Amino acid sequence: MTSDGCTPPSLARCLPRPNRPGGDVGKDFRVSKDLRLSDEQRLDWLRLIRSDNVGPRTFRDLINRYGGAHAALAALPALARRGGASGPAQIFPREDAERELAAAKARGVAFIALGEPDYPQRLQMIDDPPPLLSVRGKLSALARPLVAIVGSRNASAAGLKFAERIARDLGAAGFGIVSGLARGIDAAAHRGSLASGTIAVLAGGHDRIYPAEHADLLESILADGAALSEMPIGWEPRARDFPRRNRLISGLSAGVIIIEAARRSGSLITARLAGEQGREVFAVPGSPLDPRAEGTNGLLKQGATLVTEAADVIAVLEPILGRTLDLPAQEPDLVPRLDGEPGEDQRSRIVSLLGPTPVAIDDLVRLSQTSAAIVRMVLLELEIAGRLERHGGGLVSLI
Amino acid sequence: MTSDGCTPPSLARCLPRPNRPGGDVGKDFRVSKDLRLSDEQRLDWLRLIRSDNVGPRTFRDLINRYGGAHAALAALPALARRGGASGPAQIFPREDAERELAAAKARGVAFIALGEPDYPQRLQMIDDPPPLLSVRGKLSALARPLVAIVGSRNASAAGLKFAERIARDLGAAGFGIVSGLARGIDAAAHRGSLASGTIAVLAGGHDRIYPAEHADLLESILADGAALSEMPIGWEPRARDFPRRNRLISGLSAGVIIIEAARRSGSLITARLAGEQGREVFAVPGSPLDPRAEGTNGLLKQGATLVTEAADVIAVLEPILGRTLDLPAQEPDLVPRLDGEPGEDQRSRIVSLLGPTPVAIDDLVRLSQTSAAIVRMVLLELEIAGRLERHGGGLVSLI
């Protein structure tokens, strides 16, 4: 089960718990500073994360369970069967993975694995970090303290001016600026920080730039900054990929600045994710009569820090950045977790407790009178079988 | 010494301590609900407060010391002499006071004394309430819960629109709206609340409306609201009368809303006074690129409550308004305070400790090795003599 010798193999230790404000986020890290996947390991990681029903959280659970991606891939068919999948497990073919790696290389895209030294430090600390990040541009841009700037696509002239100004000022103060390459505020933030280094996080593949008219802007960004994606080369971004992408914008950053956001806009999703990830949320005030300020004024009412200049952001983030993230260099623990296999009666008892209404995993453990390890395993099977949906707050439901 | 039988004579009890947030502000009140000054007493009060070097605080000290305005007036010449005045005490002549009362009556202006039932309840609680308020219009307008709305004279169209809207909405919710009759935000706030009752606080006399072009607006205000002043009929407002007036705007109100204020504007003075008086401070956000929002955004950074609609104000003030101010109805205590008279050596010792640099009254007591009562008396003499300046925080200096 440890045949792929994948490092960092014990993601139970390597992967952090969800970052909570004030929590000792570094406690569970066991990351060697010189960790590097072999080419073969990277291929297995890519196959595993590209396989059906495997997202970042399931990837972590599988690696924790089987000690490495190779062993996890081998286990997928049985897991899907036991979870009651309608057909065989859809495992990402080796050839497709090889083709993706070759295509990435041809475009100057590097894959960085979670736990490798170039992997952005803060992003490791979120609940669901991508196992593999594909990066174009300067990797060094990811090593700075990062601040995200996001906001309306349909921004006012004043909003655009302000975004460009604060991005330039924060860049000059040593921050890298993260944004989403969208029209409006995002583009202005990137433009203001081209010289100091800015990072565009893409919702699609590196060859599917959205919006297309920002292809030139992206090229300018790559000179001193970088573009990031967790999606495959060739992936056309869909609407639901943008909120998913937004968790990376906030996750990379120590804080997120929202400039002009209407009610129920994507920027507010980023703000919410930032809060959940324990990131500082900053908002720029605006007139109560300007609909573009409704979202930001609302954030301020909820306790976001009011920003009118770069100094407001620096004052809050400087002490946070001074804190070390406490990642001790240490050899990884190669032993997979040897949870018991669920028996058929345990599995059916747990499945019978599930339905379309989300229930707490804790309740499942209690009501099924089995162990947390057994429940976790059955949920993993169901997930691989495409039958489980995970909600926030440890809630799950059947699809 | 109690010859004028002035009620409320013992202002040591009748007058409140400075209101501090969370403090038990009602504790020192001994105000009969049916208290009324006689015509003769009102004349003495007017003479005393209009005499040279007698402001609201000195008025209180004198009444506390001598038990009433009549006795205090009689004591002024000796006090001024002992304080080292350059000439005789300038006591406001009885005929002038009679003339002012007659002129006020002719214009429909009523004088309300501190402690009388019509005196605005919250205003009693500030550190330096005017002993006599002159009022035109509907006294009933002063009995509601009041909220002040102030801001730029040079306001934007959006700011004016917002001021009128929130004044109307708060008026509809049962609040009286207090403002300063200035151009811009003030006028818009009055206009928005004409129907529900609005109060203009004047920096000059009732016959010296500033700006003159708002004479018609004032007439409209008086239909269902009121105009207030502590200055004499005929008083032309000078620059320094406006900050003095601003303490009444905040002092009357449970909270103060600042709409559009540049840095170092008069509205920010009102906000500061409101904070010192323990009033809630509300500010309306604006774009960081709009100089008219610099002051309000700055207040928000300092912890003012962000307001985009009337509900934000109501949510904060409702619980405060529910609290009773705890003014027990009780007969006033007529006994004047019989502090010892300072001896010549004590006086000269205290005076020698004073200079142009402000010193703490507590330090004077300690360094002079006399009692607090003796120090207070010497300071009163110096004040009546026009030689003492009082600063914030219990500091005094010689002029």
Side-chain angles (χ1 to χ4, degrees):
Chain A
M1 286 200 287
T2 61
S3 55
D4 69 356
C6 160
T7 52
S10 177
L11 288 183
R13 294 179 166 276
C14 167
L15 285 178
R17 304 223 175 116
N19 177 26
R20 294 189 209 293
D24 184 1
V25 292
K27 216 169 54 184
D28 282 305
F29 281 80
R30 293 291 185 279
V31 177
S32 163
K33 298 251 156 142
D34 295 320
L35 205 69
R36 290 262 179 219
L37 295 194
S38 69
D39 288 351
E40 191 62 23
Q41 285 166 353
R42 204 174 305 269
L43 196 73
D44 284 337
W45 275 48
L46 188 59
R47 288 185 68 194
L48 186 57
I49 188 62
R50 297 276 186 262
S51 292
D52 275 12
N53 302 320
V54 179
R57 282 197 189 81
T58 316
F59 184 97
R60 175 183 56 193
D61 288 347
L62 287 167
I63 295 280
N64 282 343
R65 170 72 183 166
Y66 296 100
H70 191 85
L73 284 167
L76 284 184
L79 282 170
R81 199 170 49 244
R82 293 208 302 268
S86 50
Q90 297 301 314
I91 301 176
F92 195 64
R94 186 182 170 94
E95 310 76 60
D96 289 3
E98 282 168 344
R99 203 175 303 124
E100 184 176 346
L101 287 172
K105 200 169 181 185
R107 292 167 195 278
V109 174
F111 279 95
I112 310 175
L114 183 64
E116 291 189 318
D118 288 331
Y119 198 95
Q121 209 179 19
R122 277 174 200 279
L123 191 59
Q124 297 188 356
M125 297 154 63
I126 71 172
D127 197 24
D128 48 0
L132 286 170
L133 268 184
S134 61
V135 185
R136 271 178 84 200
K138 300 281 183 293
L139 285 178
S140 57
L142 297 172
R144 310 180 155 209
L146 302 177
V147 175
I149 300 177
V150 298
S152 285
R153 290 190 296 274
N154 166 38
S156 71
L160 295 173
K161 187 176 164 189
F162 182 83
E164 196 158 340
R165 179 197 290 178
I166 199 167
R168 190 187 60 229
D169 293 348
L170 288 169
F175 287 92
I177 304 301
V178 180
S179 195
L181 200 69
R183 296 186 187 96
I185 297 296
D186 285 25
H190 287 306
R191 285 202 183 91
S193 54
L194 285 176
S196 55
T198 183
I199 292 154
V201 187
L202 311 176
H206 281 282
D207 55 347
R208 293 290 186 273
I209 302 311
Y210 182 85
E213 75 223 46
H214 282 172
D216 286 351
L217 173 59
L218 184 64
E219 290 307 315
S220 313
I221 287 171
L222 298 177
D224 291 295
L228 286 188
S229 173
E230 63 175 325
M231 304 310 276
I233 302 277
W235 185 273
E236 200 70 56
R238 304 152 303 173
R240 69 181 207 206
D241 295 325
F242 290 91
R244 175 180 176 158
R245 182 274 316 264
N246 291 351
R247 91 186 194 288
L248 304 183
I249 291 179
S250 54
L252 285 159
S253 309
V256 176
I257 306 167
I258 324 289
I259 304 175
E260 292 192 348
R263 250 182 234 290
R264 280 183 289 280
S265 61
S267 308
L268 295 188
I269 296 176
T270 309
R272 179 175 55 74
L273 293 168
E276 288 172 6
Q277 292 168 346
R279 305 302 190 252
E280 295 295 326
V281 179
F282 300 91
V284 177
S287 162
L289 300 184
D290 182 353
R292 283 175 291 220
E294 274 187 42
T296 52
N297 287 339
L299 289 172
L300 292 169
K301 288 184 189 176
Q302 291 163 47
T305 300
L306 189 142
V307 174
T308 62
E309 54 184 351
D312 299 324
V313 177
I314 295 168
V316 171
L317 293 188
E318 237 172 7
I320 295 175
L321 298 173
R323 242 190 277 148
T324 165
L325 293 180
D326 186 24
L327 304 177
Q330 187 177 315
E331 275 309 294
D333 176 355
L334 292 171
V335 185
R337 203 196 287 153
L338 291 169
D339 294 341
E341 290 289 331
E344 200 46 64
D345 56 328
Q346 288 173 319
R347 183 177 293 113
S348 65
R349 208 182 313 148
I350 293 165
V351 172
S352 71
L353 290 167
L354 284 162
T357 307
V359 293
I361 295 175
D362 287 350
D363 288 340
L364 286 180
V365 173
R366 191 169 47 77
L367 295 169
S368 67
Q369 297 185 301
T370 57
S371 68
I374 293 291
V375 167
R376 207 161 42 220
M377 189 66 204
V378 171
L379 293 180
L380 188 56
E381 292 167 2
L382 292 169
E383 204 163 8
I384 295 299
R387 293 176 61 198
L388 193 82
E389 188 173 356
R390 289 187 188 268
H391 309 268
L395 298 175
V396 291
S397 67
L398 282 188
I399 292 167
Chain B
M1 286 201 284
T2 60
S3 56
D4 67 357
C6 159
T7 51
S10 176
L11 287 184
R13 294 178 167 278
C14 166
L15 284 178
R17 303 222 176 118
N19 176 25
R20 291 185 211 296
D24 183 0
V25 294
K27 213 168 57 182
D28 281 305
F29 281 78
R30 294 291 185 278
V31 177
S32 163
K33 299 251 156 143
D34 296 321
L35 205 69
R36 290 262 178 218
L37 295 193
S38 69
D39 288 350
E40 192 62 20
Q41 287 167 350
R42 204 174 303 272
L43 196 73
D44 285 336
W45 275 47
L46 188 59
R47 290 185 66 196
L48 186 57
I49 189 61
R50 296 276 186 261
S51 292
D52 277 10
N53 303 320
V54 178
R57 281 197 190 80
T58 317
F59 184 97
R60 175 184 55 193
D61 289 346
L62 288 166
I63 295 280
N64 282 343
R65 171 70 184 167
Y66 296 102
H70 191 85
L73 285 167
L76 284 184
L79 282 170
R81 197 170 52 245
R82 292 209 302 269
S86 50
Q90 298 299 315
I91 300 176
F92 195 66
R94 185 182 171 94
E95 311 75 59
D96 290 2
E98 284 169 340
R99 205 175 304 126
E100 185 177 344
L101 286 173
K105 199 168 182 184
R107 292 166 195 277
V109 174
F111 279 95
I112 310 175
L114 183 63
E116 291 189 319
D118 288 331
Y119 198 94
Q121 210 181 17
R122 278 174 198 278
L123 191 60
Q124 296 187 357
M125 297 155 66
I126 71 172
D127 197 25
D128 47 359
L132 285 170
L133 268 185
S134 62
V135 185
R136 272 180 83 201
K138 299 283 182 293
L139 285 178
S140 56
L142 297 172
R144 308 182 155 209
L146 301 177
V147 175
I149 299 177
V150 299
S152 287
R153 291 189 296 275
N154 164 38
S156 71
L160 295 172
K161 187 176 163 189
F162 182 83
E164 196 158 340
R165 179 198 291 180
I166 198 167
R168 189 188 60 229
D169 291 349
L170 287 169
F175 288 93
I177 304 300
V178 180
S179 196
L181 200 68
R183 297 185 186 97
I185 297 296
D186 286 24
H190 287 306
R191 285 202 183 93
S193 54
L194 286 175
S196 54
T198 182
I199 292 154
V201 188
L202 311 176
H206 281 281
D207 55 347
R208 293 293 185 270
I209 300 313
Y210 181 86
E213 75 224 47
H214 283 172
D216 286 351
L217 174 59
L218 185 63
E219 290 308 314
S220 312
I221 287 171
L222 298 177
D224 290 293
L228 287 188
S229 174
E230 64 175 325
M231 305 309 277
I233 300 276
W235 185 271
E236 200 69 57
R238 304 152 305 172
R240 69 182 208 206
D241 294 325
F242 290 90
R244 175 180 176 157
R245 180 275 314 264
N246 292 351
R247 89 185 194 290
L248 305 183
I249 291 179
S250 53
L252 285 159
S253 308
V256 177
I257 305 167
I258 324 291
I259 302 176
E260 291 194 348
R263 250 182 233 292
R264 280 182 289 280
S265 60
S267 307
L268 295 188
I269 296 176
T270 309
R272 179 176 56 73
L273 294 167
E276 288 171 8
Q277 292 168 346
R279 304 303 191 251
E280 296 295 326
V281 179
F282 300 89
V284 178
S287 163
L289 300 184
D290 182 352
R292 282 175 291 220
E294 275 187 41
T296 51
N297 286 340
L299 289 171
L300 292 170
K301 288 184 190 178
Q302 291 162 48
T305 300
L306 189 142
V307 174
T308 61
E309 53 183 353
D312 299 324
V313 177
I314 295 168
V316 172
L317 293 187
E318 237 172 8
I320 295 175
L321 297 173
R323 242 189 277 148
T324 164
L325 293 179
D326 185 25
L327 303 176
Q330 187 176 313
E331 274 309 294
D333 174 355
L334 292 171
V335 184
R337 203 197 286 153
L338 291 168
D339 296 339
E341 290 289 332
E344 201 45 63
D345 55 330
Q346 289 174 317
R347 183 177 293 113
S348 65
R349 210 183 313 149
I350 291 165
V351 171
S352 71
L353 290 168
L354 284 162
T357 306
V359 292
I361 295 174
D362 286 350
D363 288 341
L364 286 179
V365 174
R366 191 169 47 78
L367 295 169
S368 67
Q369 299 183 302
T370 57
S371 68
I374 293 292
V375 168
R376 207 161 44 222
M377 189 66 205
V378 172
L379 294 180
L380 188 56
E381 293 168 2
L382 291 169
E383 203 164 7
I384 296 299
R387 293 177 61 199
L388 193 83
E389 187 173 357
R390 289 187 190 266
H391 309 267
L395 298 174
V396 291
S397 67
L398 281 187
I399 292 166

